[in-house]
Amino acid sequence: MTGIGFTGRFIGVAVAMVVAVAGVSTAQAQRTPEYAAARAAGQVGEQRDGYLGAIGGGADISAMVRDINNKRRSVYTTAAAGKSTIEEYAFTTGCKLIRDTKPGEKYQGLDGSWKTRGGGDPELDPRCP
């Protein structure tokens, strides 16, 4: 028999399923009314490192951001396994998340300050793919 065999295929499918489930959990957490309201109010923003940042809003917002970031870290850890470092995967995802912001939403600029997305493209790190 050539190729990776049954065990290798099974492990590959299992990893893909974990990534898919973890990705769904992260996406669902980010679609809560609390998250949407905080995003619309400019209380959270996408950081260049692939994690969410709390800009204001107190302890409830900070707890929500911490929870979302823990879920993101779990997804990044699983997705990066054997392919890249967690930091590299998170950075690349951060580029996408910033690119996907909508006008009026917050993101971290190159100087580390919080920017509000206007009608044009957001300010992206030159290393972004």
Side-chain angles (χ1 to χ4, degrees):
M1 176 184 260
T2 61
I4 58 175
F6 174 77
T7 303
R9 284 193 301 272
F10 178 78
I11 291 170
V13 169
V15 169
M17 288 174 62
V18 168
V19 170
V21 170
V24 168
S25 297
T26 300
Q28 288 171 342
Q30 295 179 1
R31 291 187 186 132
T32 65
E34 296 81 13
Y35 171 77
R39 192 168 176 119
Q43 296 173 320
V44 298
E46 294 298 341
Q47 297 178 160
R48 293 186 345 239
D49 63 0
Y51 295 96
L52 193 63
I55 301 168
D60 290 345
I61 298 297
S62 294
M64 179 188 61
V65 166
R66 193 170 32 258
D67 181 58
I68 289 172
N69 284 340
N70 286 338
K71 290 174 182 168
R72 286 185 182 187
R73 189 173 301 108
S74 177
V75 170
Y76 299 162
T77 300
T78 302
K83 299 175 200 146
S84 66
T85 68
I86 297 165
E87 293 78 16
E88 290 168 337
Y89 190 89
F91 174 80
T92 300
T93 302
C95 294
K96 180 187 179 329
L97 291 168
I98 290 172
R99 193 175 285 121
D100 291 347
T101 57
K102 308 266 185 281
E105 294 179 341
K106 300 282 189 181
Y107 70 94
Q108 189 180 39
L110 292 175
D111 63 1
S113 68
W114 290 109
K115 309 278 184 182
T116 301
R117 171 93 185 251
D121 291 336
E123 185 179 283
L124 291 174
D125 190 300
R127 298 171 295 160
C128 284

